[in-house]
């Protein structure tokens, strides 16, 4: 029986492709009985082509429609019109073509022969080749994985006839599909509710259930541009981007083809699955797919009725043998990986990227030995005790759970208490303390001990971007390591400044790698680029949280980074997400509640009165060793402006901005106070630490010096300049050796043993510390049971205290209580002491506290508890024993979101080979949708 063929061409706004397609149809060896073109174009260039085609033969017909419609609707309308007049459909077949395809001369004849030879074949599909390269197979049969993800059996392979033995497949693409008309009528055509990239698969599965086979015919060849798959059509054609369409297709197939119980379970679990997919996509370095994945899941969740309409109650067990095997998926992933690597290598060749050696590695250049020597120089900080105290150093909470509770908290457990977010810096402390979770203080003390080796390693890596000389890298890194600001920060236990100094070189290095700046700036894969971006985002959190004083400088740095990325501007925005998530509650509190925008720049540490310094003293200190060294390095940095290196000018711009930032910070007075301070009078302001801004200036100028050394062509001059840098480094080392330490190792307890013992037994009583200040003024600090802990410091609390816009519950009562205590006026104090919850009173051993001690000895409500290493201690006779702190909460919605963001970006920064392979598998179109 001779098969009659009706050809249907679907056209939309592609006049050139349409003309080529219609011309190819006219040259077919097997001539269709009818050819109908359904066009939904808006371009006027299409109409003359259609008019000319319609005039060629009476068997040619053209239907033009207005308005947007999807492919299934257009195909249904066209096929219905094309089959008009056929009473018996058993010997009629429909050949469906996209206008961006060009069938070869014998393609239709081969398809027709297959249907005529086998009555059980309901659908025959051609081998689809690239329209630009006829030797490249772009598709030859479709199937799905065992998790119902669309999978192309053959894709982007050179045609060496290796797949010419293929026959039965699960599904085939709509382009070039030859369908028996009676099968089309029986099944009712394509599903109008299925998403675009699931319609062909869903239709072919129904064909299998109807008892027909779906085959590919390798001898039938059709060239196809795949405009929709490559994003060259209007997005309404696929209902969105290609990746979004694939995600929707996967969800549709799962909800319509899985057994009913599993389908319902999958639908109910879609919200939880979305969360897991976010973390998975971060791990496999595909954050760009997070939004479309969530959209696809929400689309499936809220259109369940439409998904269920395509359920037919038939088991797929009989056709599971046609599903993609695990071996096929792995093979495709490996082939795609090789293809991507070839493209990357070709891109590097076309861009003339340097492939020469970038110099000796860190270990080969002796970096590890230098780190060991630097650790030896820092012997005074070797962790021989539980925690460091003195200077600005405070211990962390002894319990990791307490450390976690203090992180991201919405209530400050210090002083009189305050509903406010904790410092962003507590997230940094939590990360460090989690390394030795059984003893959080251990990791913090090891960090201070390893500050110089870690700063050296980071500076070495950063300098490697501008010079190949191992000697220059080492000398410049050593100079950075011994900058006085870092040495002083280490000596006084200024953890935030030390952490920032370690982090800054790595932040600059990761940003440079993300933006492909510097030597060996190329990345081996897309995953590596995303990993550097994730690392940059996390390092930015650490830098911004440790040194709020340089936030303006960091903002300018990100703007420059975004400009460098050009078309990938969204990546610069992505880098800021963790920082914005961690800082947002704190920023809102300072701006709206405290109404102190400048408080956002305050250091997250104890605010102690400091000796006022000039900018020169801040940068070089008063030491002659440091002054001459800094002056020498500054002169070399200035000379670098004479070089031809383009980066020098940019470096100097940011160095100047860093100096302006330092001047600005020095012009701002912040509130003086420690942990839980309550000032009975307005206190004098204090300055932020100069260390972060100075370290930023230093690393930038040292980069300029490195560029200078690398640009000198004469060996003797280069060596002389390097010796000057080394001499400056030795001067800075000398300054470090004579810098006295202000910290010491001791127990983590930093309060009287009696108070600590009762707190450990569950007492919620508080310790009141009274200190005399100048001009007969007094300062009171209320210490809660958790004690003086670094993770309990609260800049929000400190900045709220002098703010008259905030009502401090109990402040007036405390002020009156302290006044009565120090004046020894005989007032009854029992109720006042109970109201504040004070169980003990401590007066530090200071020369000006003698009168306070005498006054407290006269108070009938107090018993002297003796002298402690922290001062004179008194015990309240009748304290408020039932006092309880009901504000304690370890979790909150905000904290959960912040933690999730940090975990997600940690997965993004984590390099994994598995993630790379899986990501490439996910990139295949249309074979797999993302995890």
């Amino acid at each position: 029986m001779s098969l009659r063929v009706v050809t249907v061409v679907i056209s939309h706004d592609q006049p050139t492709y349409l003309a080529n397609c219609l011309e190819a149809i006219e040259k077919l060896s097997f001539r269709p009985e009818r050819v109908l073109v359904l066009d939904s174009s808006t371009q006027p260039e299409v109409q003359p082509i259609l008019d000319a085609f319609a005039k060629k033969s009476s068997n040619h017909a053209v239907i033009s429609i207005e308005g947007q419609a999807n492919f299934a609707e257009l195909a249904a309308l066209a096929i219905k019109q094309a089959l008009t007049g056929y009473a018996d459909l058993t010997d009629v077949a429909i050949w469906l073509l996209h206008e961006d395809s060009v069938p070869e001369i014998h393609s239709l004849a081969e398809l027709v022969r297959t249907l005529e030879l086998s009555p059980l074949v309901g659908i025959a599909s051609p081998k689809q080749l690239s329209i630009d390269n006829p030797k490249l197979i772009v598709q030859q049969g479709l199937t799905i994985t065992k998790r119902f993800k669309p999978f192309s059996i053959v894709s982007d392979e050179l045609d060496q006839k290796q797949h010419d033995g293929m026959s039965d497949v699960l599904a085939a693409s709509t382009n070039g599909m030859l369908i028996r008309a009676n099968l089309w009528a029986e099944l009712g055509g394509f599903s109008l509710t299925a998403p675009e990239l699931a319609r062909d698969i869903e239709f072919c599965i129904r064909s299998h259930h109807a008892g027909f086979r779906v085959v590919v015919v390798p001898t039938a060849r059709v060239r196809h541009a795949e405009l929709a798959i490559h994003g060259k059509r209007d997005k309404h054609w696929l209902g969105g981007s290609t990746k979004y369409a694939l995600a929707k297709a996967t969800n549709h197939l799962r909800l319509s083809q899985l057994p009913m119980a599993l389908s319902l379970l999958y639908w109910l679990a879609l919200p939880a699955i979305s969360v897991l997919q976010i973390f998975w996509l971060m791990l496999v370095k595909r954050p760009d797919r997070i939004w479309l994945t969530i959209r696809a899941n929400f689309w499936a969740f809220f259109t369940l009725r439409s998904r269920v309409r395509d359920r037919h109650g038939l088991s797929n067990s009989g056709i599971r043998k046609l599903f993609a095997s695990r071996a096929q998926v792995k093979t495709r992933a490996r082939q795609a990986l090789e293809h991507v690597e070839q493209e990357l290598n070709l891109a590097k060749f076309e861009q003339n990227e340097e492939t020469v050696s970038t110099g000796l590695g860190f270990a080969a250049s002796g970096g590890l030995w230098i780190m060991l020597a630097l650790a030896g120089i820092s012997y005074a900080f070797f962790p021989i005790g539980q925690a460091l105290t003195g200077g600005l150093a405070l211990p962390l909470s002894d319990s990791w759970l307490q450390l976690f509770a203090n992180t991201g908290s919405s209530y400050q457990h210090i002083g009189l208490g305050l509903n406010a977010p904790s410092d962003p810096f507590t997230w940094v402390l939590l990360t460090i303390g989690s390394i030795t979770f059984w003893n959080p203080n251990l990791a913090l003390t090891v960090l201070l001990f390893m500050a110089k080796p870690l700063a050296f390693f980071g500076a070495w890596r950063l300098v490697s971007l501008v010079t190949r000389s191992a000697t220059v890298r080492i000398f410049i890194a050593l100079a950075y390591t011994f900058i006085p600001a870092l040495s002083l920060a280490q000596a006084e236990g200024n953890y935030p400044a030390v952490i920032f100094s370690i982090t800054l070189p790595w932040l600059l290095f990761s940003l440079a790698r993300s933006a492909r700046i510097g030597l060996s700036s190329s990345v081996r894969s897309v995953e590596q680029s995303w990993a550097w971006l994730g690392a940059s985002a996390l390092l930015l959190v650490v830098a911004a949280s440790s040194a709020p004083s340089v936030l303006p400088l960091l903002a300018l740095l990100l703007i420059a980074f975004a400009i460098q990325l050009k078309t990938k501007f969204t990546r610069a925005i992505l880098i800021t997400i963790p920082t914005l998530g961690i800082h947002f509650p704190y920023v809102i509190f300072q701006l709206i509640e405290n109404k102190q925008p400048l408080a956002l720049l305050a250091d997250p540490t104890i605010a102690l009165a400091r000796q006022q310094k000039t900018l020169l003293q801040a940068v070089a200190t008063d030491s002659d060793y440091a002054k001459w060294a800094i002056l020498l390095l500054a002169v070399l940095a200035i000379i670098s402006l004479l070089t031809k290196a383009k980066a020098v000018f940019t470096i100097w711009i940011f160095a100047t901005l860093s100096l302006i930032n330092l001047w600005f910070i020095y012009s701002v007075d912040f509130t003086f106070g420690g942990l839980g301070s309550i000032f009975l009078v307005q206190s004098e302001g204090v300055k932020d630490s100069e260390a972060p801004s100075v370290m930023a200036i230093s690393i930038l100028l040292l980069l300029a010096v490195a560029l200078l050394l690398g640009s000198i062509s004469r060996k003797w001059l280069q060596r002389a300049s390097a010796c000057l840098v080394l001499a400056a480094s030795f001067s800075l080392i000398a300054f470090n050796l004579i810098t006295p330490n202000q910290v010491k190792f001791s127990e983590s307890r930093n309060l009287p043993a009696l108070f600590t013992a009762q707190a450990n037994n569950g007492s919620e009583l508080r310790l009141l510390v009274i200190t005399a200040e100048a001009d007969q003024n007094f300062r009171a600090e209320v210490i809660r049971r958790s004690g003086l802990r670094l993770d309990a410091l609260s800049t929000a609390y400190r900045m709220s205290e002098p703010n008259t816009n905030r009502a401090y519950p109990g402040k007036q009562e405390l002020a009156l209580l302290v006044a009565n205590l120090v004046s020894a006026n005989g007032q009854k104090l029992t109720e006042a002491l109970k109201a504040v919850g004070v169980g003990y009173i401590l007066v530090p051993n200071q020369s000006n506290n003698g009168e306070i001690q005498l006054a407290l000895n006269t108070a009938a409500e107090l018993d002297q508890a003796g002298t402690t290493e922290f001062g004179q201690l008194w015990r309240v006779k009748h304290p408020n024993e039932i006092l309880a702190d009901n504000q304690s909460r370890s979790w909150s919605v905000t904290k959960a979101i912040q933690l999730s963001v940090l975990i997600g970006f940690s997965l993004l920064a984590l390099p994994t080979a598995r993630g790379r392979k899986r990501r490439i598998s996910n990139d295949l179109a249309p074979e797999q949708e993302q995890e």
Side-chain angles (χ1 to χ4, degrees), residues 416 678-682 768 780 782 797 800-821 829 831-833 835-836:
L416 298 175
I678 299 296
F679 296 99
L680 307 185
V681 295
Q682 183 65 41
L768 175 62
V782 178
Y797 182 94
S800 296
E801 196 280 327
N803 192 342
T804 56
N805 296 321
R806 290 195 57 82
Y808 247 92
K811 178 180 178 180
Q812 296 302 323
E813 291 82 356
L814 178 62
L816 181 60
L817 171 62
V818 173
N820 290 330
L821 283 169
L829 304 176
E831 295 303 320
L833 289 168
V836 181

Side-chain angles (χ1 to χ4, degrees), residues 33-148:
E33 193 171 272
R34 291 183 183 177
V35 180
L36 184 143
V37 181
L38 191 146
D39 178 68
S40 60
S41 301
T42 57
Q43 295 185 11
E45 296 86 351
V46 175
Q47 194 58 45
I49 298 173
L50 295 176
D51 293 341
F53 178 74
K55 293 177 182 178
K56 287 184 179 180
S57 172
S58 59
N59 292 331
H60 295 175
V62 174
I63 301 177
S64 298
I65 66 170
E66 295 182 357
Q68 292 185 351
N70 60 44
F71 181 85
E73 294 169 339
L74 296 175
L77 175 62
I79 292 174
K80 179 180 179 180
Q81 189 69 27
L83 293 179
T84 301
Y86 288 96
D88 185 10
L89 299 179
T90 55
D91 62 342
V92 179
I94 307 158
W95 196 31
L96 193 58
L97 287 173
H98 302 178
E99 98 274 36
D100 61 340
S101 62
V102 177
E104 294 189 357
I105 187 169
H106 298 300
S107 55
L108 181 57
E110 293 294 328
L111 293 173
V112 169
R113 188 168 68 89
T114 300
L115 260 65
E116 289 178 341
L117 291 177
S118 179
L120 292 180
V121 174
I123 300 173
S125 173
K127 175 192 293 183
Q128 300 196 47
L129 308 169
S130 170
I131 201 164
D132 298 319
N133 182 7
K135 295 182 179 180
L136 184 68
I137 305 174
V138 295
Q139 194 178 93
Q140 188 172 323
L142 295 174
T143 184
I144 55 178
T145 67
K146 293 181 180 179
R147 289 185 290 177
F148 290 88

Side-chain angles (χ1 to χ4, degrees), residues 587-642:
V587 171
I588 293 300
F589 179 85
Q590 295 288 23
L591 294 180
I592 297 178
E593 294 291 331
N594 272 354
K595 296 181 173 59
Q596 294 194 43
L598 290 180
L600 298 174
L601 305 179
D603 282 340
T605 184
I606 301 175
L608 297 179
R610 297 168 178 263
Q611 180 182 1
Q612 297 300 316
K613 300 178 181 178
T614 64
L615 288 181
L616 179 60
Q617 290 172 331
V619 174
T621 75
D622 291 327
S623 168
D624 291 335
Y625 293 110
K627 283 183 179 178
W628 283 110
I630 296 298
L631 178 61
L632 180 58
L633 293 174
V635 170
L636 291 174
I638 293 173
I639 296 175
S640 69
L641 290 170
L642 302 177

Side-chain angles (χ1 to χ4, degrees), residues 420-576:
S422 60
D423 285 2
F425 184 61
T426 56
W427 285 103
V428 180
L429 295 175
L430 175 65
T431 303
I432 296 171
S434 298
I435 298 174
T436 55
F437 59 89
W438 64 93
N439 182 8
N441 279 295
L442 177 60
L444 197 62
T445 54
V446 169
L447 177 69
L448 197 65
F449 168 63
M450 292 295 294
K452 284 185 168 57
L454 293 174
F456 171 80
F457 185 31
W460 190 97
R461 290 290 286 168
L462 178 61
V463 177
S464 69
L465 294 178
V466 299
T467 179
R468 296 186 179 89
S469 172
T471 303
V472 173
R473 295 177 184 179
I474 290 175
F475 288 0
I476 296 297
L478 277 175
Y480 176 78
T481 304
F482 288 100
I483 291 297
L486 175 56
S487 298
L488 290 173
Q490 186 183 29
E492 64 185 6
N494 189 348
Y495 287 113
V498 169
I499 293 172
F500 175 82
S501 301
I502 296 172
T503 303
L504 180 60
W506 285 107
L507 174 61
L508 297 176
F509 178 76
S510 62
L511 287 174
R513 293 303 299 265
S514 298
R516 304 187 69 175
I517 299 173
L519 298 177
S520 186
S521 60
S522 62
V523 292
R524 292 188 298 271
S525 64
V526 177
E527 294 77 20
Q528 190 184 58
S529 175
W530 280 113
W532 280 118
L533 187 140
S536 300
L538 295 176
L539 290 168
L540 180 63
V541 173
V542 177
S545 302
S546 304
S549 59
V550 296
L551 280 175
L553 187 63
L554 293 176
L556 293 174
L557 179 65
L558 288 178
I559 292 174
F561 175 73
I563 294 173
Q564 176 66 27
L565 288 180
K566 298 177 182 176
T567 58
K568 297 180 180 179
F569 180 77
T570 53
R571 294 198 176 192
I573 298 177
L574 190 64
I575 283 179
T576 64

Side-chain angles (χ1 to χ4, degrees), residues 161-238:
K161 302 187 182 299
Q162 70 273 32
H163 299 293
D164 282 3
M166 285 183 60
S167 179
D168 286 78
V169 293
L170 179 71
S173 170
T174 54
N175 182 56
M177 177 186 286
L178 185 64
I179 316 164
R180 291 189 185 273
N182 58 337
L183 175 61
W184 175 271
E186 179 182 345
L187 299 181
F190 298 126
S191 169
L192 297 181
T193 59
E196 189 61 46
L197 296 183
R199 287 192 178 114
D200 41 15
I201 296 175
E202 190 273 342
F203 179 75
C204 290
I205 289 177
R206 284 191 285 139
S207 300
H208 284 290
H209 289 316
F212 287 90
R213 295 166 55 201
V214 179
V215 300
V216 291
V217 184
T219 53
R221 297 158 55 92
V222 173
R223 286 181 282 162
H224 189 198
E226 295 186 309
L227 296 178
I229 291 296
H230 296 303
K232 296 181 180 180
R233 288 190 184 274
D234 294 339
K235 287 190 175 181
H236 85 273
W237 197 253
L238 291 180

Side-chain angles (χ1 to χ4, degrees), residues 628-706:
W628 283 110
I630 296 298
L631 178 61
L632 180 58
L633 293 174
V635 170
L636 291 174
I638 293 173
I639 296 175
S640 69
L641 290 170
L642 302 177
T643 67
K644 297 180 180 180
K646 298 179 180 179
V648 170
F649 184 68
T650 303
I651 289 173
W652 263 101
I653 289 177
F654 276 96
T656 305
L657 292 173
S658 301
L659 186 62
I660 294 173
N661 187 86
L662 176 60
W663 169 83
F664 175 72
I665 289 299
Y666 255 49
S667 65
V668 178
D669 286 334
F670 297 99
T671 303
F672 169 80
L675 224 168
S677 295
I678 299 296
F679 296 99
L680 307 185
V681 295
Q682 183 65 41
S683 63
E684 295 182 359
V686 296
K687 305 296 183 183
D688 254 347
S689 171
E690 70 278 1
S693 295
V694 172
M695 296 307 292
I697 297 171
S698 302
I699 193 63
L700 290 168
L701 294 185
L702 287 171
L703 284 175
V705 174

